Structure formats: structure tokens, C-alpha cells
Amino acid sequence: MLFKHIGHAEFWMETENGIRIVTDPYDAGCGYPVRPVEAEIALVSHHHHDHDAVENLQGNPLVIDQAGKYTPDEGVKITAVCGYHDEVRGEKRGETLMFLIEADGLRIVHLGDLGDRLNPEQENELRNPDVLMIPVGGFYTIDGKQAREIAARLNAKVVLPMHYKTDYNADWPITGPEVFLEGYDQKDISEDAEALRVTKEDMMCQPKVVLFKA
């Protein structure tokens, strides 16, 4: 499977048989340039402007924005699990969806705008991801330290940090990925990646953390 980080919480994935999946597409108000992305499937964790701009996507994708189990293609299974956008069971910012994508023999997890620790049921559903996309910037979501703890509890093999401060959103009250990265050896971190290709057979060769070029 091929991965590209479009920006913020938006990732683009392509399976071996050409199914393209986009997570949490952002709009221009996010500060990032709106890049043209074509997809068959769009996963929307919640309806905030920096996560649900499906109108900017090309290809008339199927939009999944409700909890449940889906099989949008013969080789793709998606489970959408409810979580909280804050540490007080959604009282501040409501709920967020977390997605488990099963394709190409891989388990891929995107945690949306998770703002609280996972409960045992959520952990059990999302455990052992080959690739984990996790927010690390704090304030609106879990912070870097909490993200490290969650990645460890889930036993994630490859972690793709997201939802952190960059030059595009420099005025947001969130942090960069530095606190999250403190828990890893520099040799286990790949920075400024253009893209990432992962197969079940090469998991042992992958870096533990991948930061994409902004």
C-alpha cells in the first residue's frame, strides 16, 4: 500500500489493486494549500471544516462518516469506531471516529481527532496496526506524550504523526511533533518523506516513525 500525507490529518492511500482512500480532507481555512486528490473512498472522522472538506476531492468518492463496518470493495474492509474529541467524553468538542482499514493484508488505523485515552474495547478493536496515523499536537487532540503511550499500547509497527504545528498553521495553539519524537531513537525516525510504500512482507524493514515533507 502506498501512503502520502497531504497535510494535517489528511492522508492518501492506494491499495495494490488501485483503490484510493483519503482520510479527513481539510479546507482552505486550515492554512494548508488545498491539493487536488482523487479517491474512491473518503473517511471523515467528524464534521469540522479541517476534516470534512469532501467537496474538494475528485472522483465522487464514497463517504464514510458514521460508525459501523463497511466493505466498499472486495479487497477493502473498514471499521469506524466512536471515540471522543476531548478528555471529558465529548462535552467540549463532541465525538470523533477512528478508522481501521484492512487491505493488502495490512491493518491500518487512523485515529481522527482523538482527544482522550482509549478504553479497553477501543484498544481491542484497533490493536496491532501495521500503520498507525495518530494526532500528536495537543490542545484539540491528545498530545505527544499521550500519543506515544497509545501507540505503544496498540503495538503499532509504523507510526505516522499528524495534526501538529507546521508553518501552515503556525498560529494554532498546538505543538510540533517534537514531544512525540522524544520517545524514539533518531535511527528509527524517517523525516521529510515524500511517500511511504508498505507491504506485509517488508514490515521488519520499515522505520518506526515517518514524518512526511510538509
Side-chain angles (χ1 to χ4, degrees):
M1 185 179 289
L2 180 65
F3 295 80
K4 293 183 179 180
H5 190 193
I6 307 305
H8 197 44
E10 182 175 352
F11 288 86
W12 178 92
M13 295 160 266
E14 185 173 19
T15 68
E16 292 178 1
N17 65 349
I19 299 300
R20 295 161 297 186
I21 304 167
V22 170
T23 64
D24 281 4
Y26 58 80
D27 68 5
C30 202
Y32 289 86
V34 176
R35 301 179 172 102
V37 177
E38 191 164 357
E40 281 72 45
I41 303 166
L43 307 181
V44 172
S45 67
H46 62 298
H47 289 285
H48 289 172
H49 73 95
D50 54 333
H51 293 264
D52 72 346
V54 294
E55 68 275 5
N56 292 329
L57 300 177
Q58 301 176 357
N60 192 31
L62 168 69
V63 177
I64 296 177
D65 61 356
Q66 300 290 325
K69 294 183 180 293
Y70 304 84
T71 307
D73 181 79
E74 182 178 355
V76 177
K77 295 181 181 179
I78 295 172
T79 303
V81 179
C82 282
Y84 291 112
H85 199 336
D86 55 59
E87 73 284 3
V88 285
R89 299 181 63 83
E91 289 183 16
K92 293 180 182 177
R93 301 184 188 93
E95 294 184 342
T96 185
L97 290 178
M98 304 175 289
F99 295 99
L100 168 64
I101 305 160
E102 297 174 273
D104 295 347
L106 299 169
R107 288 173 60 85
I108 314 300
V109 170
H110 185 286
L111 291 182
D113 253 12
L114 181 66
D116 198 5
R117 289 177 172 83
L118 300 176
N119 64 37
E121 183 179 353
Q122 293 164 334
E123 281 191 11
N124 186 60
E125 186 77 68
L126 303 173
R127 195 180 305 279
N128 297 321
D130 295 292
V131 179
L132 172 67
M133 292 162 271
I134 188 168
V136 302
F139 193 82
Y140 301 114
T141 69
I142 54 173
D143 60 25
K145 183 176 182 294
Q146 292 171 315
R148 264 201 329 268
E149 293 170 354
I150 290 171
R153 290 182 65 88
L154 289 179
N155 191 33
K157 296 182 177 68
V158 179
V159 182
L160 312 182
M162 64 178 184
H163 209 291
Y164 53 81
K165 181 173 285 190
T166 68
D167 289 343
Y168 294 115
N169 59 6
D171 60 339
W172 288 27
I174 60 177
T175 68
E178 294 81 14
V179 173
F180 177 77
L181 297 177
E182 287 173 1
Y184 297 89
D185 291 334
Q186 187 61 40
K187 65 180 176 61
D188 294 326
I189 302 171
S190 174
E191 299 189 58
D192 292 327
E194 295 280 357
L196 175 70
R197 187 176 294 278
V198 177
T199 67
K200 195 67 175 177
E201 294 72 27
D202 68 9
M203 290 306 306
M204 296 297 294
C205 304
Q206 297 292 345
K208 291 184 178 179
V209 180
V210 178
L211 284 176
F212 289 83
K213 185 175 292 185

